[in-house]
Amino acid sequence: MPFVRVAVPVPALDALTYRVPDALSAPPPGARVLVPLGNRLVTGIVVERLEDSDLEVKDISDVLDAEPFLNADVLRLAVWVAEYYACGVGEAIAAAMPPRAWVESERYAQIADGAAIGDERGMRRKILDRLESGKPVRVDALAKQVSGGVHAVLLALERDGLVALTQPLKGKADAHRTVRTVRLTAQGHDSEATEGTTARLGRRQQELLSLLRAAPDGMDVADLAERGIGASTVTRLAAAGLVSIARRRVERDPFEQAVIGSPAGPAPSEGSHTLTVEQRCALDRLLTLSRSKRFATAVLHGVTGSGKTEIYLRLAEDVRSGGRGVLVLVPEIALTPAVAAAFRNTFGERVAIQHSGLSDGERHDQWQRVRRGAVDVVVGTRSAVFAPVQRLGLIIVDEEHDGSYKQDESPRYHGRDVAVMRASHLNALAVLGSATPSLESYQNARSGRYDLVTLEKRVLDRPLADVQVVDMRDVYAAEGPDAILSPPLRDAIAARLERQEQSIVLLNRRGFATAIFCRQCGAMAECPNCSVTLTVHRALRRARCHYCNYSMPIPKACPHCAGPYLEQVGYGTERVESEIAAHFPGIRVTRVDRDTIRRRGAIAAVLTRFARGEIDVLVGTQMIAKGHDFPRVTLVGVISADVGLGLADFRAAERTFQLLTQVAGRAGRGEIRGQAIVQTLHPAHYSIVHATRQDYAAFFADESRYRKALRYPPSVALVNAVVKARTSRGAMDDAGDVVRALRTDGQTFRVLGPAPAPLSRLKGEHRAQFFMKGTHRPAMRQALLEVLNSRPEIKRRTIVDVDPISVL
Ligand code: ADP
Ligand code: ZN
């Protein structure tokens, strides 16, 4: 008697065991099934088959797929994610599924075209009878009329060619993506031969028929309209039974709109460069690794502008021509269109670009194309690591240090680490590329676990930008504490304006002012739901919380003492923009941050204008520090390099170093040498000193020493847990209970805390946190899960973050 373990989409739940009743044939791992859960019927994924089980278990209700819906390798990866990140297996599998895969109510059945229905009995007969009319019937409606495993029987009927199953995608997201197609019916085909039929038709109708005879796949209504054949002609012929009109789904390429045509993309010559000697060596090494068809991970450490993309392309081409698939992960496509565009130019139709702006329907289409093997190369963000690429041979993680690879909700996986694990499952090569590798990856490269491939020079011997540090303490002394633009930065921008070159000005903080302060009582305007101050957004005339989005009109009087003496303190990008506009009358300045690019496609539009030279100065948050390539940008100004340094986060220095190095790498990518000006209150801080020299090795040495001394990753493994509760007392008490239970004799890890989380209140909930530090992750996870499983009521309110990238 077979049993199956089934993952259901319920947080923190393990796979559940079910029996396969005699009437159903056992579904393979990766297939979807319907199972009873409590008093509901839910869709689940079979994780494994068991021959035996001594558990008293329920039966699965139905089988939705005769073949695996998820590939074996993706399923295995998702199961690993669940275990490693200590989350429910259903949550991990959900991350690997295309949208709507859980929604079964939308499946329809109908008699297949040309079905020869013979003598059928039992369930098969009952179902066929109900489909007799020939119209599609919703499967869930059928299931109500015919009890038993309707889906399983339908799958058998489909296999026998009697029934067609469809799952039309509905809803707004897809509405614009179907086109109406006109096709000749059998009668229409015959009409030519049938005396008198065509003679009675009008000229347009005859024209339509002859057009369609030449188009066996039919023609779109829109194309016909362009040829002067209107809807009335079509409907009249349809009424006469000569043509049929069907909706056809089109796989529109959203990438087209987002990137193609954007001059921010690569020069057309991409892919045709003669490699530099350094590039050649790096490529050869990577080719050797990939052709060995054994698992390997290589860190490609190349300074900004060293031509990593070129190497990715050639490596990918080699893997593809060897018959294997390629996966390319990028932090965010809208912000780094160049890499995606380069792959699109090289691989054309065989590449799928997974874009954060895709609608569910678009994602679903793409997923199916990839799974069908119609695509060899997938370029996408974090979640693309689960893309069902066939015969995967290479995974590239570009800008591998980027924090956006870590998902900040369950499953809290790191796309880079999942990529490496996937490569190891498949004997593939993982390439982690960056100008500023994460400490983790570089440490692995140094210890020999990963291969290290280095590019030390920029292509064409372009020099790195000249970096100047401005000590803002001197500026404040000379110009007062309100100074935002230092004299050197002002002069540098003015010089660019004169020479018609462009500048990028960066501040990693949004809004106009970061707080509202009452001079009478000293209170700050705080978010009612979170323990943070409200940020002033002047253009919107609102004060807003950046964590929960609460907002209110900018107060005119203190909310505490009603005093009128309110002062706005701190500043963000909006203020910098207005400062620059005020200082340089007539300047064309544009701001890019999450406030200005809410609309889909907005960022691409701004970058296009910038690339065309229609903007003099681009002000923005770290978004504009990423991999763009604008040859006319010769100046990058960093307003405050210290944003983030003060945070109680062990990665603060690393993030600062990465940001400054990346941003300095933006200047001078063309013929003219670039300049970077970095304003700071801590000119001697090692992250700033090393970044200005673009000295990764020195930074790595200092930072590793610090991490080792304070026992932070990568010298130990870290697990962060946050317990949420209605009161701060409750959160601390519950976290304290868990911590006490974790502190047992002979454990191999340390437990620190609990303490109120740095963000002690968020979205109305109080938060306490504790850490586990050790060298053996499985022991830490197991101990924590054991304690939490014994306290399900606390577990429900606990966030477990394995390998956190931020502990705030
Ligand atoms: P990275 O990603 O390492 O910062 P890119 O791949 O963006 O660098 O390359 C920087 C620029 O140099 C791009 O405009 C690219 O087209 C160009 N480039 C790359 N390789 C060569 C080469 N061998 N010769 C000339 N130009 C090159
Ligand atoms: Zn809030």
Side-chain angles (χ1 to χ4, degrees):
M1 179 64 60
F3 292 81
V4 283
R5 307 248 308 140
V6 177
V8 291
V10 175
L13 208 60
D14 231 353
L16 303 171
T17 304
Y18 289 90
R19 200 180 69 105
V20 182
D22 295 334
L24 299 177
S25 53
R32 292 173 299 175
V33 290
L34 280 183
V35 293
L37 184 72
N39 51 15
R40 293 182 298 154
L41 216 50
V42 302
T43 306
I45 292 272
V46 176
V47 175
E48 68 181 316
R49 279 201 238 188
L50 306 172
E51 279 319 307
D52 223 338
S53 168
D54 23 351
L55 297 174
E56 233 351 84
V57 295
K58 293 189 191 160
D59 286 358
I60 59 172
S61 307
D62 211 337
V63 177
L64 300 182
D65 303 297
E67 301 290 319
F69 180 80
L70 277 188
N71 299 354
D73 99 85
V74 175
L75 182 63
R76 179 177 176 200
L77 192 65
V79 169
W80 176 82
V81 163
E83 188 186 316
Y84 187 91
Y85 293 102
C87 70
V89 66
E91 292 169 90
I93 285 179
M97 296 266 269
R100 297 164 192 241
W102 302 108
V103 190
E104 254 324 294
S105 57
E106 291 174 11
R107 201 188 272 207
Y108 286 78
Q110 75 189 102
I111 301 288
D113 279 349
I117 297 172
D119 188 17
E120 298 284 355
R121 253 167 280 162
M123 280 277 278
R124 289 169 67 103
R125 178 81 262 161
K126 276 191 207 157
I127 289 176
L128 288 170
D129 282 350
R130 279 176 173 81
L131 298 178
E132 215 171 27
S133 75
K135 293 213 184 72
V137 175
R138 276 177 73 133
V139 172
D140 56 352
L142 263 184
K144 287 209 185 92
Q145 300 166 3
V146 183
S147 54
V150 170
H151 286 278
V153 177
L154 282 170
L155 289 173
L157 287 169
E158 186 185 38
R159 199 183 49 225
D160 299 342
L162 301 182
V163 164
L165 293 175
T166 49
Q167 190 175 1
L169 289 174
K170 291 181 301 184
K172 198 153 148 263
D174 306 294
H176 57 291
R177 296 186 44 262
T178 59
V179 292
R180 292 196 305 153
T181 306
V182 185
R183 221 180 277 240
L184 280 186
T185 58
Q187 199 187 335
H189 269 293
D190 295 342
S191 65
E192 205 174 19
T194 323
E195 272 300 306
T197 313
T198 41
R200 282 188 325 247
L201 301 175
R203 192 173 57 79
R204 290 253 189 265
Q205 296 179 355
Q206 298 203 12
E207 197 182 329
L208 173 56
L209 287 181
S210 67
L211 277 173
L212 290 178
R213 279 194 193 100
D217 292 336
M219 292 182 71
D220 294 351
V221 170
D223 293 344
L224 290 172
E226 236 162 61
R227 294 171 192 243
I229 297 174
S232 60
T233 309
V234 175
T235 34
R236 241 172 272 137
L237 280 186
L242 298 180
V243 302
S244 66
I245 309 172
R247 282 197 172 272
R248 179 170 67 86
R249 287 221 318 270
V250 279
E251 288 175 327
R252 191 188 54 172
D253 189 346
F255 180 63
E256 223 72 59
Q257 311 162 321
V259 182
I260 297 290
S262 141
S269 62
E270 191 85 40
S272 56
H273 297 302
T274 311
L275 294 187
T276 63
V277 174
E278 248 194 343
Q279 279 175 315
R280 183 82 249 163
C281 288
L283 178 61
D284 284 346
R285 177 71 197 136
L286 296 173
L287 286 174
T288 306
L289 290 174
S290 89
R291 286 176 185 165
S292 80
K293 304 208 167 129
R294 281 198 302 266
F295 164 58
T297 304
V299 172
L300 178 60
H301 177 208
V303 297
T304 52
S306 56
K308 293 186 284 294
T309 311
E310 193 71 37
I311 294 175
Y312 298 154
L313 288 174
R314 296 191 191 215
L315 181 62
E317 180 53 53
D318 188 78
V319 169
R320 187 184 78 136
S321 62
R324 293 189 298 161
V326 177
L327 187 55
V328 183
L329 301 184
V330 294
E332 187 173 343
I333 288 173
L335 299 179
T336 54
V339 172
F343 275 88
R344 169 45 59 93
N345 288 347
T346 305
F347 295 99
E349 285 302 305
R350 304 293 299 179
V351 65
I353 312 283
Q354 204 185 86
H355 195 274
S356 61
L358 291 189
S359 70
D360 278 2
E362 287 163 337
R363 242 175 238 282
H364 176 100
D365 286 354
Q366 254 191 9
W367 194 88
Q368 300 289 358
R369 270 180 72 212
V370 174
R371 199 172 73 124
R372 279 205 306 273
V375 161
D376 315 305
V377 181
V378 172
V379 180
T381 45
R382 183 177 61 224
S383 63
V385 74
F386 298 107
V389 181
Q390 308 283 333
R391 297 176 305 280
L392 192 56
L394 170 67
I395 309 181
I396 294 167
V397 185
D398 189 31
E399 310 285 356
E400 67 87 27
H401 63 276
D402 199 290
S404 61
Y405 282 121
K406 174 88 172 173
Q407 178 148 300
D408 60 7
E409 60 189 21
S410 186
R412 292 170 198 279
Y413 66 94
H414 198 301
R416 173 199 60 217
D417 298 339
V418 178
V420 170
M421 186 45 64
R422 188 167 183 192
S424 85
H425 286 165
L426 297 174
N427 280 324
L429 170 65
V431 175
L432 314 181
S434 175
T436 52
S438 61
L439 276 245
E440 281 81 355
S441 295
Y442 204 73
Q443 172 72 42
N444 280 325
R446 291 273 295 253
S447 73
R449 261 183 80 186
Y450 294 175
D451 241 72
L452 181 61
V453 180
T454 311
L455 297 169
E456 285 178 357
K457 291 203 284 282
R458 281 186 155 185
V459 292
L460 304 174
D461 288 322
R462 281 177 196 147
L464 286 166
D466 189 16
V467 183
Q468 180 186 353
V469 176
V470 176
D471 189 338
M472 285 305 279
R473 289 170 301 188
D474 300 340
V475 178
Y476 293 154
E479 306 203 342
D482 296 330
I484 291 178
L485 301 173
S486 63
L489 184 54
R490 291 198 304 254
D491 294 348
I493 293 174
R496 294 316 176 287
L497 287 174
E498 212 151 275
R499 298 205 295 262
Q500 296 187 358
E501 293 166 12
Q502 294 173 300
S503 311
I504 287 178
V505 174
L506 178 120
L507 175 63
N508 211 6
R509 200 161 55 197
R510 291 184 287 138
F512 190 82
T514 49
I516 302 167
F517 169 80
C518 171
R519 280 195 304 192
Q520 190 163 292
C521 75
M524 299 271 209
E526 278 204 3
C527 173
N529 312 314
C530 311
S531 52
V532 295
T533 58
L534 296 174
T535 300
V536 177
H537 291 261
R538 199 164 70 168
L540 300 172
R541 301 211 193 88
R542 297 191 79 79
R544 161 169 284 155
C545 170
H546 284 183
Y547 289 88
C548 74
N549 239 358
Y550 166 87
S551 77
M552 62 183 281
I554 296 171
K556 299 213 163 55
C558 173
H560 296 270
C561 71
Y565 308 109
L566 291 183
E567 195 176 330
Q568 298 187 356
V569 293
Y571 55 87
T573 42
E574 192 183 356
R575 175 81 188 278
V576 173
E577 179 192 21
S578 79
E579 197 83 358
I580 291 175
H583 205 274
F584 301 99
I587 198 173
R588 296 169 303 171
V589 54
T590 299
R591 174 164 55 97
V592 173
D593 56 29
R594 262 193 285 152
D595 298 317
T596 63
I597 56 138
R598 279 176 205 282
R599 214 166 33 78
R600 184 175 159 179
I603 177 106
V606 173
L607 295 180
T608 301
R609 278 169 51 220
F610 192 52
R612 284 203 206 114
E614 295 168 11
I615 296 169
D616 300 313
V617 178
L618 199 61
V619 174
T621 52
Q622 58 169 16
M623 283 186 176
I624 58 172
K626 304 213 173 176
H628 315 294
D629 199 354
F630 298 114
R632 304 232 311 262
V633 173
T634 58
L635 171 68
V636 173
V638 179
I639 294 294
S640 169
D642 314 326
V643 175
L645 266 189
L647 298 177
D649 189 333
F650 70 94
R651 289 187 206 271
E654 183 180 7
R655 266 199 278 271
T656 301
F657 177 80
Q658 286 164 349
L659 183 65
L660 293 181
T661 312
Q662 297 281 344
V663 84
R666 294 302 116 219
R669 313 254 305 177
E671 307 289 301
I672 314 160
R673 174 152 200 191
Q675 183 188 12
I677 294 181
V678 176
Q679 302 185 164
T680 175
L681 289 169
H682 306 281
H685 192 281
Y686 65 97
S687 65
I688 290 173
V689 171
H690 297 320
T692 56
R693 298 197 188 123
Q694 310 227 356
D695 189 346
Y696 180 82
F699 173 75
F700 178 80
D702 279 357
E703 183 69 3
S704 300
R705 217 173 298 127
Y706 154 78
R707 301 275 180 98
K708 224 173 261 148
L710 294 182
R711 305 183 110 254
Y712 274 120
S715 78
V716 297
L718 185 64
V719 176
N720 179 19
V722 173
V723 180
K724 301 181 283 188
R726 274 207 305 278
T727 64
S728 54
R729 187 75 231 203
M732 281 299 285
D733 286 351
D734 290 343
D737 282 359
V738 176
V739 165
R740 257 189 310 282
L742 279 173
R743 287 200 177 113
T744 54
D745 292 338
Q747 69 192 13
T748 56
F749 52 83
R750 296 205 299 171
V751 188
L752 294 93
L759 206 62
S760 62
R761 223 171 134 235
L762 182 64
K763 298 177 188 174
E765 290 173 313
H766 290 267
R767 297 146 47 92
Q769 82 179 354
F770 62 88
F771 295 104
M772 300 167 76
K773 286 181 177 180
T775 47
H776 192 54
R777 270 191 204 83
M780 291 156 61
R781 272 194 314 259
Q782 202 188 337
L784 181 56
L785 282 180
E786 249 164 47
V787 174
L788 287 177
N789 286 338
S790 70
R791 300 289 302 267
E793 205 281 312
I794 298 182
K795 183 178 181 184
R796 222 170 30 76
R797 293 181 277 115
T798 303
I799 297 170
V800 175
D801 194 355
V802 176
D803 301 343
I805 57 147
S806 164
V807 294
L808 294 182

Short mmCIF file of all heavy atoms in Angstrom, two decimals, residues 218-252:
data_model
loop_
_atom_site.label_atom_id
_atom_site.label_comp_id
_atom_site.label_asym_id
_atom_site.label_seq_id
_atom_site.Cartn_x
_atom_site.Cartn_y
_atom_site.Cartn_z
N GLY A 218 -4.21 31.04 -38.71
CA GLY A 218 -5.17 32.09 -38.45
C GLY A 218 -4.49 33.46 -38.41
O GLY A 218 -3.26 33.58 -38.49
N MET A 219 -5.32 34.49 -38.29
CA MET A 219 -4.78 35.85 -38.25
C MET A 219 -5.42 36.60 -37.10
O MET A 219 -6.58 36.38 -36.76
CB MET A 219 -5.06 36.58 -39.56
CG MET A 219 -4.27 36.00 -40.72
SD MET A 219 -4.57 36.92 -42.23
CE MET A 219 -3.72 38.46 -41.91
N ASP A 220 -4.66 37.49 -36.52
CA ASP A 220 -5.17 38.27 -35.41
C ASP A 220 -6.15 39.34 -35.90
O ASP A 220 -5.94 39.93 -36.97
CB ASP A 220 -4.02 38.96 -34.66
CG ASP A 220 -3.13 37.95 -33.98
OD1 ASP A 220 -3.51 36.76 -33.95
OD2 ASP A 220 -2.06 38.33 -33.50
N VAL A 221 -7.16 39.57 -35.11
CA VAL A 221 -8.16 40.57 -35.46
C VAL A 221 -7.50 41.93 -35.72
O VAL A 221 -7.86 42.66 -36.64
CB VAL A 221 -9.23 40.66 -34.35
CG1 VAL A 221 -10.14 41.86 -34.57
CG2 VAL A 221 -10.03 39.38 -34.29
N ALA A 222 -6.50 42.23 -34.91
CA ALA A 222 -5.85 43.53 -35.05
C ALA A 222 -5.13 43.64 -36.41
O ALA A 222 -5.18 44.69 -37.07
CB ALA A 222 -4.85 43.75 -33.92
N ASP A 223 -4.50 42.55 -36.83
CA ASP A 223 -3.82 42.58 -38.13
C ASP A 223 -4.83 42.75 -39.26
O ASP A 223 -4.57 43.45 -40.24
CB ASP A 223 -3.06 41.26 -38.37
CG ASP A 223 -1.90 41.13 -37.40
OD1 ASP A 223 -1.53 42.15 -36.80
OD2 ASP A 223 -1.39 40.01 -37.25
N LEU A 224 -5.97 42.09 -39.09
CA LEU A 224 -7.00 42.20 -40.12
C LEU A 224 -7.51 43.63 -40.21
O LEU A 224 -7.70 44.17 -41.29
CB LEU A 224 -8.14 41.23 -39.82
CG LEU A 224 -7.78 39.76 -39.99
CD1 LEU A 224 -8.91 38.86 -39.48
CD2 LEU A 224 -7.48 39.44 -41.46
N ALA A 225 -7.69 44.23 -39.05
CA ALA A 225 -8.19 45.61 -39.03
C ALA A 225 -7.22 46.51 -39.77
O ALA A 225 -7.63 47.44 -40.48
CB ALA A 225 -8.37 46.08 -37.59
N GLU A 226 -5.94 46.22 -39.62
CA GLU A 226 -4.95 47.03 -40.30
C GLU A 226 -5.07 46.92 -41.82
O GLU A 226 -4.72 47.83 -42.55
CB GLU A 226 -3.55 46.58 -39.87
CG GLU A 226 -2.73 47.70 -39.29
CD GLU A 226 -1.57 47.14 -38.49
OE1 GLU A 226 -0.73 46.44 -39.09
OE2 GLU A 226 -1.53 47.40 -37.27
N ARG A 227 -5.57 45.78 -42.25
CA ARG A 227 -5.76 45.60 -43.70
C ARG A 227 -7.15 46.02 -44.13
O ARG A 227 -7.62 45.64 -45.21
CB ARG A 227 -5.56 44.13 -44.07
CG ARG A 227 -4.14 43.69 -43.85
CD ARG A 227 -4.05 42.20 -44.01
NE ARG A 227 -2.77 41.74 -43.53
CZ ARG A 227 -1.86 41.15 -44.30
NH1 ARG A 227 -2.09 40.95 -45.56
NH2 ARG A 227 -0.72 40.77 -43.79
N GLY A 228 -7.84 46.71 -43.26
CA GLY A 228 -9.13 47.26 -43.64
C GLY A 228 -10.28 46.28 -43.48
O GLY A 228 -11.38 46.52 -43.97
N ILE A 229 -10.03 45.16 -42.79
CA ILE A 229 -11.13 44.22 -42.58
C ILE A 229 -11.62 44.34 -41.16
O ILE A 229 -10.92 43.98 -40.21
CB ILE A 229 -10.65 42.78 -42.88
CG1 ILE A 229 -10.27 42.70 -44.36
CG2 ILE A 229 -11.75 41.78 -42.53
CD1 ILE A 229 -9.67 41.40 -44.75
N GLY A 230 -12.79 44.90 -41.01
CA GLY A 230 -13.28 45.24 -39.68
C GLY A 230 -13.97 44.09 -38.98
O GLY A 230 -14.16 43.01 -39.55
N ALA A 231 -14.34 44.36 -37.75
CA ALA A 231 -14.95 43.33 -36.90
C ALA A 231 -16.26 42.82 -37.50
O ALA A 231 -16.58 41.63 -37.40
CB ALA A 231 -15.20 43.89 -35.51
N SER A 232 -17.02 43.70 -38.18
CA SER A 232 -18.32 43.26 -38.67
C SER A 232 -18.16 42.20 -39.76
O SER A 232 -18.93 41.25 -39.83
CB SER A 232 -19.11 44.46 -39.20
OG SER A 232 -18.39 45.06 -40.25
N THR A 233 -17.13 42.36 -40.58
CA THR A 233 -16.88 41.36 -41.62
C THR A 233 -16.60 40.00 -40.97
O THR A 233 -17.13 38.97 -41.39
CB THR A 233 -15.65 41.77 -42.45
OG1 THR A 233 -15.83 43.12 -42.87
CG2 THR A 233 -15.46 40.87 -43.64
N VAL A 234 -15.79 40.05 -39.94
CA VAL A 234 -15.41 38.81 -39.27
C VAL A 234 -16.64 38.16 -38.63
O VAL A 234 -16.88 36.96 -38.79
CB VAL A 234 -14.33 39.08 -38.20
CG1 VAL A 234 -14.02 37.81 -37.42
CG2 VAL A 234 -13.07 39.62 -38.85
N THR A 235 -17.42 38.95 -37.92
CA THR A 235 -18.56 38.34 -37.22
C THR A 235 -19.58 37.79 -38.22
O THR A 235 -20.20 36.76 -37.96
CB THR A 235 -19.28 39.33 -36.28
OG1 THR A 235 -19.21 40.63 -36.85
CG2 THR A 235 -18.62 39.37 -34.93
N ARG A 236 -19.72 38.46 -39.35
CA ARG A 236 -20.69 37.92 -40.33
C ARG A 236 -20.24 36.55 -40.85
O ARG A 236 -21.02 35.63 -40.95
CB ARG A 236 -20.89 38.91 -41.48
CG ARG A 236 -22.36 39.36 -41.53
CD ARG A 236 -22.58 40.47 -42.52
NE ARG A 236 -22.36 41.78 -41.92
CZ ARG A 236 -21.69 42.77 -42.51
NH1 ARG A 236 -21.17 42.60 -43.72
NH2 ARG A 236 -21.57 43.92 -41.91
N LEU A 237 -18.96 36.43 -41.15
CA LEU A 237 -18.47 35.13 -41.62
C LEU A 237 -18.53 34.08 -40.52
O LEU A 237 -18.77 32.91 -40.79
CB LEU A 237 -17.03 35.25 -42.12
CG LEU A 237 -16.86 35.83 -43.54
CD1 LEU A 237 -15.41 35.75 -43.95
CD2 LEU A 237 -17.73 35.08 -44.54
N ALA A 238 -18.32 34.54 -39.29
CA ALA A 238 -18.40 33.59 -38.18
C ALA A 238 -19.83 33.09 -38.03
O ALA A 238 -20.07 31.90 -37.81
CB ALA A 238 -17.92 34.24 -36.89
N ALA A 239 -20.80 34.01 -38.22
CA ALA A 239 -22.20 33.62 -38.12
C ALA A 239 -22.55 32.62 -39.21
O ALA A 239 -23.37 31.72 -39.00
CB ALA A 239 -23.08 34.86 -38.22
N ALA A 240 -21.89 32.76 -40.35
CA ALA A 240 -22.16 31.83 -41.45
C ALA A 240 -21.39 30.52 -41.26
O ALA A 240 -21.49 29.63 -42.10
CB ALA A 240 -21.77 32.48 -42.78
N GLY A 241 -20.61 30.44 -40.20
CA GLY A 241 -19.90 29.19 -39.92
C GLY A 241 -18.64 29.00 -40.73
O GLY A 241 -18.07 27.91 -40.76
N LEU A 242 -18.18 30.03 -41.42
CA LEU A 242 -17.01 29.86 -42.28
C LEU A 242 -15.69 30.12 -41.53
O LEU A 242 -14.66 29.59 -41.91
CB LEU A 242 -17.11 30.80 -43.49
CG LEU A 242 -18.32 30.54 -44.40
CD1 LEU A 242 -18.34 31.51 -45.56
CD2 LEU A 242 -18.29 29.10 -44.91
N VAL A 243 -15.76 30.95 -40.50
CA VAL A 243 -14.55 31.19 -39.71
C VAL A 243 -14.88 31.02 -38.22
O VAL A 243 -16.04 31.11 -37.84
CB VAL A 243 -13.96 32.61 -39.93
CG1 VAL A 243 -13.64 32.85 -41.38
CG2 VAL A 243 -14.89 33.68 -39.37
N SER A 244 -13.85 30.76 -37.46
CA SER A 244 -14.05 30.72 -36.01
C SER A 244 -13.15 31.77 -35.39
O SER A 244 -12.10 32.13 -35.94
CB SER A 244 -13.71 29.34 -35.47
OG SER A 244 -12.33 29.10 -35.65
N ILE A 245 -13.57 32.27 -34.24
CA ILE A 245 -12.77 33.27 -33.54
C ILE A 245 -12.36 32.67 -32.21
O ILE A 245 -13.21 32.15 -31.48
CB ILE A 245 -13.59 34.55 -33.27
CG1 ILE A 245 -14.24 35.02 -34.57
CG2 ILE A 245 -12.70 35.64 -32.68
CD1 ILE A 245 -15.21 36.15 -34.38
N ALA A 246 -11.09 32.70 -31.94
CA ALA A 246 -10.62 32.15 -30.66
C ALA A 246 -9.71 33.16 -30.02
O ALA A 246 -9.09 33.98 -30.69
CB ALA A 246 -9.90 30.84 -30.88
N ARG A 247 -9.63 33.08 -28.71
CA ARG A 247 -8.66 33.92 -28.01
C ARG A 247 -7.36 33.16 -27.95
O ARG A 247 -7.32 32.00 -27.60
CB ARG A 247 -9.14 34.21 -26.59
CG ARG A 247 -10.20 35.26 -26.57
CD ARG A 247 -10.37 35.84 -25.18
NE ARG A 247 -11.28 36.98 -25.30
CZ ARG A 247 -10.88 38.20 -25.58
NH1 ARG A 247 -9.59 38.46 -25.74
NH2 ARG A 247 -11.74 39.17 -25.69
N ARG A 248 -6.31 33.84 -28.30
CA ARG A 248 -5.01 33.20 -28.23
C ARG A 248 -4.18 33.98 -27.22
O ARG A 248 -4.15 35.20 -27.23
CB ARG A 248 -4.34 33.27 -29.62
CG ARG A 248 -2.96 32.65 -29.67
CD ARG A 248 -2.50 32.55 -31.12
NE ARG A 248 -2.28 33.88 -31.73
CZ ARG A 248 -1.15 34.57 -31.63
NH1 ARG A 248 -0.15 34.08 -30.94
NH2 ARG A 248 -1.02 35.75 -32.20
N ARG A 249 -3.53 33.24 -26.35
CA ARG A 249 -2.64 33.91 -25.40
C ARG A 249 -1.34 34.25 -26.10
O ARG A 249 -0.82 33.46 -26.86
CB ARG A 249 -2.31 32.97 -24.23
CG ARG A 249 -3.45 32.79 -23.29
CD ARG A 249 -2.98 32.80 -21.85
NE ARG A 249 -1.76 32.05 -21.63
CZ ARG A 249 -1.73 30.77 -21.32
NH1 ARG A 249 -2.83 30.09 -21.23
NH2 ARG A 249 -0.58 30.17 -21.10
N VAL A 250 -0.85 35.43 -25.87
CA VAL A 250 0.44 35.76 -26.44
C VAL A 250 1.47 35.86 -25.33
O VAL A 250 1.20 36.39 -24.27
CB VAL A 250 0.42 37.09 -27.23
CG1 VAL A 250 -0.15 36.87 -28.61
CG2 VAL A 250 -0.34 38.15 -26.49
N GLU A 251 2.63 35.34 -25.59
CA GLU A 251 3.70 35.45 -24.62
C GLU A 251 4.42 36.75 -24.90
O GLU A 251 5.41 36.79 -25.60
CB GLU A 251 4.63 34.25 -24.71
CG GLU A 251 3.95 33.03 -24.15
CD GLU A 251 4.76 31.78 -24.33
OE1 GLU A 251 5.48 31.65 -25.31
OE2 GLU A 251 4.66 30.92 -23.45
N ARG A 252 3.83 37.79 -24.42
CA ARG A 252 4.43 39.10 -24.65
C ARG A 252 5.75 39.17 -23.90
O ARG A 252 5.89 38.63 -22.81
CB ARG A 252 3.49 40.18 -24.12
CG ARG A 252 3.92 41.55 -24.56
CD ARG A 252 3.08 42.56 -23.86
NE ARG A 252 3.14 42.35 -22.41
CZ ARG A 252 2.61 43.17 -21.55
NH1 ARG A 252 1.97 44.21 -21.94
NH2 ARG A 252 2.71 42.94 -20.27
#
